[in-house]
Amino acid sequence: MTAPTKTKAAPLAELKGDLAVLKEKFGDAVQPAEYEGVVIANDVLLEAARFIRDELGYRYLSSVTAVDYIQEGYFEVVYHAYRLEGGGPLVFKARTPRDVATVPSLVSVWPGADFQEREAWDLMGIRFAGHPNLKRILLWEGFYGHPLRKDWKEPYYEEEHKPFSSRWPSGHHIRAEDRVFWHDNVQYPLDWDPDQAEDTSDELLYIGMGQFARAETGELVEPRSLRTERLVVNMGPQHPSTHGVFRMVVTLDGETIVRLEPVMGYLHRNHEKIGERNMYLQNMPYTDRLDYICSMSNNLGYAIAVEKLLGIRPPERAEYLRVIMAEFTRIVNHLWAIGFLLNDLGAFFTPALYAIEERELILDLFEEASGSRMMCNYMRFGGVAHDVSDDWIARAKELVYNRLPRAIEELDRYLTHNELIKARCQGVGVLPPDLAVAYSTAGPVLRASGIPYDVRRAEPYSIYDRFDFDVAVRYNGDVYDRYLIRIDEMWQSLRILRQALDQIPKGEIQAGKKQYMIRVPAGQAYGRVENPKGELGFYIVSDGSPNPYRYHIRAPSFINLTALNEMCKGHKVADVVVILGSIDIVLGEVDR
Amino acid sequence: MDELRDLNTMPVPSELRNNVFVTTIDRFVSYLYNWGRKRSVWPMMFGLACCAIEMICAAASRFDIARFGSELMRPSPRQADLMIVSGTVTKKMVPQIVRLYNQMPEPKYVISMGACATGGGPFKEGYNVVSGIDKFIPVDVYVPGCPPRPEALLHGLLKLYEKIERQSVRAVPWYQRGESEAIPVPILGPDLIDPRRLPEIRARLAELRARQGASTETSS
Ligand code: SF4
């Protein structure tokens, strides 16, 4: 390790708690890291990971991500593992020199690391030795370079950090197209031959699926009179039921699914690269566009992560407003999710219309508070952007006490005991609890599998520790339970909302002055919140400048998809659509 | 036809002014034809990103796109008249969008909904984002906003009506001789490649290489 430079402080002096146990067990292979956690040597990483999971009890791997410390010349892979009983994370890291860029894969210990490691390979160019399927995931096979490396420049690159001098303060702006060589958002390597231009990105995928099928039939050599042939079928990215531009490639045996591979990245909008050029506050509106149904709670997650670094808390009224907005968002999301689950079941649009009707009423409240229906951009570091009137509170109460309970009850009455729904949903897409944990699923998917894990309880943030509510949990882990749990959670959200709306005090809504450009002390923070879709985490590395050095989003929809293959195996094609609907993904968050 | 044209310039006796409808067959046919189809523009069920949510809301009960005859969202491009590009167009997605556009039968229209589809929007700097769908397919109406409210989308639809109203059966491209050409589907190489720009790409790459060769020679 080279001497610490600007981006790094001195390592922690001593290790406490489980980190000390880890150090004792592995000796010099475990070294304290800067700010938080330990660095584990690559040769014992697998063993240490097993120890962490089995002996120390951190069974839930929440986030895997990588940071490019270009000045020090190494990549760092950061893991955050949690105990299911609750409490803080165990942070451990692995390092690899930039020119080697290989660390052992942890997929064998936590299958939930699968997509996250692929993402790190795709965007950062770190190889994970032993990964069963190390392909690009968000970009296409054949893309030139690994965009999140600090020395990789996008075609429209202007400067390292905003505000760009070309736009401010003199104020005029030259169009990006006019500034760049190609007059477009593209760049090509010098040694590339345009005459060979051919799209091979899909071929690889199909060949992969086909080979697998053949290999499998190879194993099943049994002289039978009736031979079935395997078929590779593509669904998406333009498909009416994939909730956006999501694509699945399935290998079929007859009509039964043998293997399913999600293909994503059709909405990869480069949140992280743009986020690292932005100033902290400029990222706030971008978080709206992650999971665009739940913009308010995305704001909350980001605000909490940065506040951790800043070491500030918002005033009381702002905390209440945050909780109120976040819980309203949960109801919005679950209504939407249930409406569209029914859509996927074939009840074309009618249930969705009912769900959207209630959603509109909540959006009206959001609009009044923040100025926008969908992209609220409402939270600030240490507060919220605007206060709400007493009239607003009164109308919110009217919704919470009268209108919404009626609507949820109505949904419940028409759907829950509906024979058709039961027939299509019960026993379909089952995810057993141990797999749900192993695949790092979160939110309703995890809780419907019988694991009562909710960040609001496990590691309370904001003021959730003051409210009286239950963590909804169901035990069958099928589509039906994932539907029921959303109904349960809406009831719990209403409970929280009632308490919050009754208790909300008067007062300030912003700690300190409103600031455009904040300076965040150097450090690393992982802030997570229980979003309607699951645990949303923001991993932020600050080097003390006005821009984040690393800005990573742990998106629940993305990681929940890791388990999709497991849920779909053995079911029919028609069920895939329903299973996907029950996971409730939003592509803005899957692809980021 | 010529007599009809004369009719147009022929003076109409004043007592008949309010009774006689003077027009050409062409105008009359176009009027009827456009009147008929402008109120039944079927959009394709095709959502890209956040803007798609507002598109769905426009189709839902509060805003009710059915008032304008466009509630039949067709999942298949073969049955659709209108493509609403509702969201960020990424490089990975643009080949599919062009393909879908090619599959739509004529007459076809495109509404570019939101800042992203129009010019890249907040994500314009992103390495995987196309700066506007109009670089690949022709756009009839742009709807600004991020996301545009459902009302704004409906307004865009009304603008499209106006455009349809003004089309003449004689001049529209889909009644001309010959087939209309498909748009070449972009290719995913080391970066997005627009086949129409290949000659230019070739020339500029050669130029870049020459420039770099010169600089390495001088430095060595
Ligand atoms: S214009 Fe705004 S709302 Fe629409 S897709 Fe782009 S980011 Fe999303």
Side-chain angles (χ1 to χ4, degrees):
Chain A
M1 214 172 77
T2 49
T5 57
K6 201 176 100 225
T7 47
K8 290 270 171 162
L12 297 171
E14 59 179 298
L15 296 173
K16 283 194 231 81
D18 293 323
L19 291 177
V21 180
L22 203 61
K23 169 94 186 153
E24 205 169 295
K25 166 98 178 150
F26 291 97
D28 277 349
V30 172
Q31 293 295 336
E34 301 83 5
Y35 305 115
E36 55 175 356
V38 288
V39 181
I40 301 180
N42 284 346
D43 43 349
V44 297
L45 183 65
L46 261 178
E47 198 188 328
R50 260 184 222 113
F51 181 75
I52 290 168
R53 184 190 64 182
D54 299 336
E55 308 297 323
L56 297 181
Y58 289 85
R59 282 174 59 208
Y60 185 73
L61 181 69
S62 161
S63 148
V64 181
T65 187
V67 191
D68 178 7
Y69 289 105
I70 189 164
Q71 283 173 359
E72 291 85 348
Y74 60 79
F75 292 117
E76 187 171 88
V77 184
V78 187
Y79 306 85
H80 284 80
Y82 287 88
R83 283 194 175 120
L84 288 173
E85 299 80 48
L90 187 105
V91 187
F92 58 102
K93 305 169 177 181
R95 281 180 185 163
T96 171
R98 288 186 99 243
D99 46 351
V100 181
T102 310
V103 293
S105 164
L106 293 191
V107 175
S108 55
V109 187
W110 283 289
D114 185 351
F115 284 7
Q116 308 190 57
E117 287 185 350
R118 276 176 71 188
E119 185 194 338
W121 155 242
D122 188 357
L123 301 183
M124 201 69 96
I126 300 172
R127 273 176 203 289
F128 289 86
H131 191 291
N133 186 19
L134 195 64
K135 282 191 306 215
R136 286 200 183 251
I137 188 165
L138 294 178
L139 293 161
W140 60 90
E141 230 29 80
F143 183 84
Y144 183 67
H146 300 283
L148 280 187
R149 291 190 171 191
K150 286 283 172 193
D151 49 1
W152 192 93
K153 306 261 189 296
E154 62 271 37
Y156 279 169
Y157 172 78
E158 266 182 79
E159 271 167 63
E160 275 306 315
H161 298 306
K162 284 179 187 168
F164 296 146
S165 51
S166 67
R167 301 187 191 174
W168 194 76
S170 55
H172 61 234
H173 172 51
I174 309 169
R175 286 194 340 137
E177 286 91 332
D178 300 336
R179 210 180 38 236
V180 297
F181 180 77
W182 291 101
H183 300 300
D184 203 352
N185 193 9
V186 292
Q187 58 190 1
Y188 305 104
L190 274 185
D191 52 356
W192 170 67
D193 179 4
D195 296 313
Q196 304 294 319
E198 214 185 329
D199 200 335
T200 51
S201 48
D202 279 355
E203 254 164 58
L204 274 166
L205 180 73
Y206 289 130
I207 291 173
M209 300 291 284
Q211 264 177 353
F212 179 85
R214 233 172 293 144
E216 278 242 329
T217 36
E219 285 165 27
L220 291 170
V221 269
E222 233 179 88
R224 277 201 207 150
S225 53
L226 253 182
R227 286 247 318 278
T228 54
E229 226 171 76
R230 304 221 162 168
L231 195 68
V232 180
V233 175
N234 180 58
M235 283 172 85
Q238 153 61 6
H239 189 281
S241 67
T242 50
H243 294 237
V245 285
F246 182 65
R247 177 175 165 205
M248 291 172 279
V249 183
V250 283
T251 308
L252 296 177
D253 181 352
E255 218 185 311
T256 310
I257 289 158
V258 179
R259 182 185 167 194
L260 178 145
E261 188 164 324
V263 186
M264 39 196 126
Y266 292 94
L267 192 55
H268 178 46
R269 305 193 274 193
N270 331 127
H271 274 272
E272 293 181 9
K273 190 79 179 177
I274 296 177
E276 284 164 23
R277 304 239 186 272
N278 277 348
M279 293 185 299
Y280 282 95
L281 190 57
Q282 284 178 324
N283 275 339
M284 191 58 88
Y286 282 88
T287 61
D288 288 337
R289 284 151 183 84
L290 280 172
D291 173 355
Y292 31 75
I293 310 224
C294 322
S295 56
M296 285 282 194
S297 40
N298 297 342
N299 284 180
L300 179 58
Y302 180 56
I304 280 180
V306 176
E307 278 162 13
K308 256 191 191 174
L309 282 170
L310 287 169
I312 53 171
R313 285 292 293 267
E316 278 288 287
R317 185 172 174 86
E319 292 272 29
Y320 274 93
L321 282 175
R322 285 177 170 194
V323 168
I324 291 169
M325 298 301 179
E327 292 308 316
F328 267 132
T329 308
R330 198 178 312 278
I331 295 177
V332 164
N333 179 75
H334 287 352
L335 281 172
W336 188 272
I338 291 174
F340 280 81
L341 175 69
L342 268 289
N343 222 9
D344 292 341
L345 279 169
F348 190 67
F349 237 93
T350 305
L353 286 180
Y354 278 92
I356 292 173
E357 193 184 337
E358 307 306 319
R359 173 177 182 260
E360 288 286 340
L361 297 174
I362 301 180
L363 290 199
D364 282 350
L365 289 179
F366 285 175
E367 185 174 7
E368 186 177 334
S370 72
S372 175
R373 277 159 55 83
M374 262 177 77
M375 303 303 175
C376 300
N377 186 16
Y378 185 64
M379 316 266 172
R380 294 290 180 271
F381 309 126
V384 294
H386 314 281
D387 205 347
V388 298
S389 62
D390 289 341
D391 188 40
W392 190 96
I393 303 259
R395 263 176 294 139
K397 276 189 186 163
E398 163 65 22
L399 265 189
V400 166
Y401 280 100
N402 288 324
R403 174 100 197 198
L404 289 175
R406 239 183 292 153
I408 298 171
E409 217 174 80
E410 197 180 42
L411 273 184
D412 196 18
R413 195 168 60 235
Y414 289 138
L415 304 180
T416 305
H417 299 293
N418 185 317
E419 211 41 56
L420 290 173
I421 289 177
K422 278 188 176 168
R424 284 291 308 272
C425 296
Q426 281 179 339
V428 171
V430 176
L431 189 68
D434 49 334
L435 283 183
V437 174
Y439 278 110
S440 305
T441 58
V445 179
L446 182 66
R447 288 191 289 273
S449 289
I451 310 284
Y453 190 77
D454 186 323
V455 183
R456 289 176 294 175
R457 268 287 149 73
E459 201 190 1
Y461 53 93
S462 193
I463 47 168
Y464 275 105
D465 45 359
R466 296 186 199 167
F467 297 115
D468 184 20
F469 68 99
D470 298 324
V471 175
V473 62
R474 296 268 168 174
Y475 296 93
N476 295 325
D478 55 2
V479 173
Y480 190 64
D481 274 13
R482 286 196 278 277
Y483 152 75
L484 285 178
I485 202 135
R486 295 206 163 91
I487 298 265
D488 296 346
E489 279 186 14
M490 283 197 280
W491 287 122
Q492 296 306 327
S493 287
L494 283 180
R495 252 175 100 182
I496 299 177
L497 277 170
R498 274 187 212 124
Q499 297 168 46
L501 283 168
D502 287 344
Q503 293 166 10
I504 182 169
K506 288 244 175 288
E508 292 286 300
I509 54 158
Q510 172 78 39
K513 259 208 337 265
K514 280 195 180 182
Q515 266 182 322
Y516 172 58
M517 189 193 276
I518 51 159
R519 268 184 192 277
V520 174
Q524 300 162 351
Y526 181 65
R528 53 180 199 148
V529 291
E530 185 68 37
N531 239 28
K533 298 201 166 57
E535 175 186 332
L536 175 77
F538 287 90
Y539 181 66
I540 295 170
V541 178
S542 163
D543 59 359
S545 71
N547 312 73
Y549 183 78
R550 178 83 175 96
Y551 166 69
H552 172 74
I553 304 149
R554 183 248 192 246
S557 304
F558 174 65
I559 295 168
N560 285 352
L561 280 177
T562 322
L564 183 64
N565 179 27
E566 201 52 54
M567 291 185 212
C568 290
K569 261 192 220 161
H571 288 292
K572 302 274 186 270
V573 187
D575 292 330
V576 174
V577 171
V578 185
I579 295 172
L580 187 70
S582 76
I583 302 181
D584 183 21
I585 57 167
V586 153
L587 264 292
E589 193 178 63
V590 173
D591 295 340
R592 282 152 294 148
Chain B
M1 230 17 152
D2 275 336
E3 299 100 81
L4 279 171
R5 232 171 250 144
D6 288 347
L7 223 133
N8 232 1
T9 50
M10 208 173 69
V12 180
S14 58
E15 67 271 23
L16 288 183
R17 283 261 159 85
N18 292 331
N19 301 340
V20 180
F21 187 49
V22 182
T23 179
T24 61
I25 289 215
D26 173 21
R27 277 247 220 68
F28 184 63
V29 170
S30 291
Y31 175 78
L32 265 186
Y33 172 69
N34 291 337
W35 176 82
R37 71 201 178 99
K38 84 173 180 196
R39 300 265 167 193
S40 60
V41 177
W42 291 1
M44 185 159 81
M45 193 194 265
F46 169 65
L48 285 177
C50 356
C51 281
I53 305 295
E54 286 296 62
M55 185 176 75
I56 296 171
C57 288
S61 42
R62 188 187 230 179
F63 300 98
D64 198 10
I65 208 171
R67 293 177 293 156
F68 305 93
S70 296
E71 78 280 19
L72 268 184
M73 299 239 174
R74 304 318 295 171
S76 160
R78 308 273 182 208
Q79 303 166 336
D81 308 308
L82 168 67
M83 176 188 245
I84 303 179
V85 185
S86 52
T88 318
V89 181
T90 61
K91 292 181 181 172
K92 199 169 175 180
M93 190 62 194
V94 77
Q96 332 290 343
I97 297 178
V98 172
R99 228 172 259 151
L100 286 169
Y101 179 77
N102 286 340
Q103 285 170 357
M104 283 165 68
E106 283 185 309
K108 51 185 167 186
Y109 302 94
V110 176
I111 291 184
S112 154
M113 182 183 182
C116 283
T118 305
F123 298 97
K124 182 168 181 175
E125 305 142 52
Y127 48 84
N128 191 28
V129 175
V130 173
S131 336
I133 187 62
D134 53 1
K135 298 210 160 163
F136 292 91
I137 60 178
V139 173
D140 296 284
V141 179
Y142 297 90
V143 182
C146 180
R149 296 178 58 96
E151 294 98 319
L153 180 63
L154 296 178
H155 184 240
L157 199 65
L158 292 179
K159 285 282 157 203
L160 184 67
Y161 287 178
E162 283 175 27
K163 179 164 184 171
I164 294 177
E165 256 165 28
R166 283 201 298 271
Q167 286 185 315
S168 139
V169 177
R170 246 179 231 224
V172 288
W174 54 91
Y175 288 141
Q176 307 303 318
R177 228 169 278 263
E179 279 176 30
S180 45
E181 254 171 62
I183 292 170
V185 177
I187 304 167
L188 294 175
D191 205 326
L192 187 72
I193 305 157
D194 185 349
R196 295 171 297 187
R197 285 183 69 189
L198 265 176
E200 182 199 345
I201 291 173
R202 226 171 270 138
R204 307 206 99 207
L205 260 181
E207 183 191 326
L208 268 181
R209 273 190 216 121
R211 221 192 272 171
Q212 216 203 20
S215 69
T216 44
E217 262 166 46
T218 47
S219 62
S220 59

